[in-house]
Amino acid sequence: MKLSGGELLKEFDVAAAKENIGSEVEISACVHKVRQMSEFAFVVFRTGRHLIQSVYSADECEDSLDGIKEGCYVKAVGEVKADNRASHGFELILRKISLLSSPKDDYPLTVSHKKLGCSLDVNLDLRSVALRNPYERAIFKLQEGVTAGFRNFMMENGFTEIHSPKIVASGAEGGANIFSLDYFGKEAYLAQSPQFYKQTAVAFFDRVFEVAPVYRAEHHSTSRHLNEYIGLDFEMGFINDMYDVMNMETAMLKFMLAYLEEHYKQELDILKVELPVINAIPSVTFLEAIDIVSGGKGGRNKFDLDPDDEIALCKYAEKEFGSEFIFVTHFPSAKRPFYVMDDKEDSRVAYSFDLLFRGLEITTGGQRIHDYNEQVAKMQSMGLDPEEFASYLDIHKYGMPPHGGLGLGLERLVMKLVGLKNIRMASMFPRDINRLEP
Ligand code: AMO
């Protein structure tokens, strides 16, 4: 019999090694690169987050380097020697090295180069290798930081984390971009958003958030759309108006950026990220936005912003307010989903906003209808049958506070933070119209 509860398996501790120059440390890692010199060799180890330089010479090390090449997993012991030229200010003088596992084939990509330098398709086809490249994996370490910053901010501000179902009975966002599936003989769908459930949870938690996949059956291939993405969603009760939601997002983004700066310095450096600075985020109405992008000529037949408009608005915000973000509010009601509350003064526009960042929409949010009769009337005015939404309408039937929230696309935010040209680069294993594997 065996009992668990013993000593934890530790990973290599960079900070501790740095503090203990002259001592011997053990490291388990992948061999990232071997550079053979005439008398010795540089062996660069790749741990889960770091590259650690070591020096091998036959007279300092008990073991031979024979058979140890790029891609091998090893266990080694080395003496920590201060060296300012090495990335962490030290290198290891190898004393022992043993092979744990050796690959069958050499890498088909230049994993040890700073950047892979291959096409997007090759990168995505060979994802399991590509992600071993320090630049590629840093994107996803930073993604972790974005999510952790979001989560920490939400929890500090009284939001409860929820997990809503992804197999659902109806779409929330309207339109044809919904995946259907056979659910024991009934038609079901993959959730287009946690919308109904996050609203429902406001009735009992007041404030909630979720970090979870969202499914969109986008039938076209663009550099900004995925068929599965991660939504950072929140929903909050007792709001006065949608500006309370926008203020919460502004504060959350400030917190998240500070969090990245504090905890993800290494990845920001690898990726050469220039973090945006947020003071206050300017906000214009949809009609003002159309005036701005059309140079005052109007274009009021428009119901939404197109990608060029988003780029133009961000340029405007940068020039006029020194902000890389801009909110656009009061979108035409006709193009917004049925749960969105219309402006009390002008029902042609809705209490709905987008947040644009570096030329791309990264968020949609707004105030929702909380009154039962108002919600039923809105559904009917949009040609929807309230009967089909009976379980969603239960939340209105049994009472809801005034509330609102938003959805932020994780990959879009990371794409723009890092300056990636295609959203697929910000998705570990992207799903698009042509890609279901790897
Ligand atoms: P919306 O449909 O605008 O709103 O989505 C919210 C945010 O999700 C991201 N996004 C996408 N990212 C990658 N690929 C896609 N195909 C994709 N579609 C959307 C964008 C977008 O701003 N329920 C509302 C949110 C709310 O009001 O709370 C919703 O889902 O960054």
Side-chain angles (χ1 to χ4, degrees):
M1 192 191 71
K2 273 197 156 204
L3 287 173
S4 82
E7 206 181 318
L8 288 187
L9 186 61
K10 295 224 172 63
E11 58 161 14
F12 182 70
D13 188 337
V14 174
K18 216 169 156 174
E19 293 296 303
N20 289 290
I21 303 291
S23 66
E24 282 200 349
V25 292
E26 194 179 276
I27 181 168
S28 300
C30 183
V31 174
H32 187 62
K33 188 159 66 180
V34 181
R35 210 147 39 101
Q36 197 66 53
M37 315 303 271
S38 53
E39 300 289 308
F40 63 97
F42 285 114
V43 181
V44 180
F45 295 124
R46 189 178 70 237
T47 67
R49 193 176 186 184
H50 305 283
L51 294 181
I52 307 292
Q53 180 171 299
S54 74
V55 180
Y56 170 88
S57 66
D59 35 320
E60 301 260 16
C61 188
E62 277 178 27
D63 306 304
S64 130
L65 214 52
D66 288 351
I68 293 181
K69 54 172 189 164
E70 195 174 304
C72 288
Y73 288 83
V74 296
K75 194 176 229 178
V77 174
E79 184 188 318
V80 186
K81 181 168 159 253
D83 189 330
N84 286 332
R85 290 163 303 176
S87 57
H88 300 282
F90 69 84
E91 60 185 14
L92 302 178
I93 308 299
L94 286 182
R95 301 276 180 248
K96 292 184 203 171
I97 184 161
S98 60
L99 192 60
L100 297 175
S101 130
S102 162
K104 176 183 158 292
D105 288 336
D106 290 343
Y107 291 147
L109 296 171
T110 52
V111 166
S112 66
H113 284 195
K114 272 214 162 107
K115 282 199 178 182
L116 285 175
C118 61
S119 71
L120 177 65
D121 272 337
V122 169
N123 181 324
L124 298 180
D125 285 345
L126 295 171
R127 209 59 174 147
S128 68
V129 181
L131 291 166
R132 300 171 197 222
N133 172 258
Y135 181 93
E136 296 295 325
R137 76 171 179 185
I139 297 171
F140 299 96
K141 193 68 188 172
L142 192 73
Q143 191 183 77
E144 170 200 67
V146 167
T147 312
F150 176 72
R151 179 173 278 119
N152 286 357
F153 175 85
M154 290 286 118
M155 294 183 64
E156 275 183 22
N157 285 281
F159 287 73
T160 297
E161 181 161 14
I162 60 166
H163 304 284
S164 64
K166 302 304 159 210
I167 302 175
V168 295
S170 60
E173 305 304 323
N177 64 353
I178 188 159
F179 287 108
S180 58
L181 59 102
D182 175 57
Y183 191 69
F184 305 116
K186 259 191 180 165
E187 185 164 47
Y189 305 96
L190 290 180
Q192 274 177 314
S193 118
Q195 189 62 38
F196 295 167
Y197 296 95
K198 64 179 180 169
Q199 283 187 255
T200 304
V202 164
F204 47 89
F205 279 138
D206 291 356
R207 294 176 164 204
V208 297
F209 74 98
E210 179 163 1
V211 178
V214 172
Y215 299 94
R216 301 280 170 105
E218 309 286 354
H219 290 281
H220 47 291
S221 177
T222 80
S223 59
R224 49 165 59 197
H225 289 93
L226 292 166
N227 292 106
E228 179 179 53
Y229 70 90
I230 299 295
L232 306 182
D233 276 79
F234 73 71
E235 198 71 22
M236 53 195 279
F238 304 100
I239 61 169
N240 297 296
D241 50 38
M242 70 176 159
Y243 294 98
D244 284 331
V245 179
M246 290 156 65
N247 282 336
M248 192 62 80
E249 177 163 39
T250 304
M252 182 277 287
L253 289 169
K254 278 190 199 177
F255 179 97
M256 179 194 280
L257 293 171
Y259 190 85
L260 293 179
E261 192 139 349
E262 187 179 346
H263 300 286
Y264 292 84
K265 175 92 185 57
Q266 176 172 322
E267 285 71 28
L268 294 172
D269 286 347
I270 295 174
L271 299 167
K272 300 201 169 31
V273 171
E274 287 255 359
L275 286 179
V277 176
I278 300 182
N279 297 312
I281 298 182
S283 143
V284 293
T285 66
F286 178 75
L287 285 184
E288 287 168 344
I290 294 299
D291 271 348
I292 293 164
V293 299
S294 66
K297 292 195 200 79
R300 286 165 196 244
N301 50 346
K302 279 199 160 181
F303 286 98
D304 210 346
L305 300 173
D306 58 39
D308 286 342
D309 296 338
E310 292 176 6
I311 294 169
L313 283 166
C314 286
K315 281 201 179 128
Y316 164 84
E318 177 94 61
K319 186 160 163 263
E320 297 295 321
F321 305 98
S323 170
E324 296 195 77
F325 294 85
I326 182 168
F327 280 114
V328 181
T329 64
H330 298 88
F331 277 82
S333 315
K335 286 284 168 175
R336 295 274 145 157
F338 62 82
Y339 54 78
V340 175
M341 186 185 275
D342 289 341
D343 188 319
K344 296 285 173 237
E345 249 108 70
D346 178 359
S347 63
R348 289 172 304 172
V349 296
Y351 291 142
S352 172
F353 65 84
D354 278 1
L355 178 64
L356 315 182
F357 171 48
R358 294 184 177 165
L360 180 66
E361 173 208 315
I362 57 162
T363 294
T364 295
Q367 180 162 7
R368 331 298 190 184
I369 298 172
H370 55 268
D371 179 76
Y372 180 81
N373 293 326
E374 190 179 333
Q375 182 62 85
V376 169
K378 176 100 186 247
M379 284 173 170
Q380 284 163 340
S381 77
M382 293 179 87
L384 297 168
D385 179 4
E387 289 284 309
E388 283 181 25
F389 295 93
S391 83
Y392 171 61
L393 281 168
D394 273 353
I395 71 176
H396 303 80
K397 200 189 251 173
Y398 300 113
M400 283 294 287
H403 64 283
L406 58 78
L408 168 67
L410 174 64
E411 294 84 352
R412 284 197 181 182
L413 175 56
V414 170
M415 170 189 176
K416 284 292 156 184
L417 279 176
V418 179
L420 303 171
K421 291 203 172 67
N422 194 305
I423 194 168
R424 288 161 184 74
M425 297 293 290
S427 173
M428 207 177 265
F429 297 100
R431 293 290 171 254
D432 66 24
I433 191 158
N434 301 310
R435 194 171 285 282
L436 189 56
E437 269 186 322

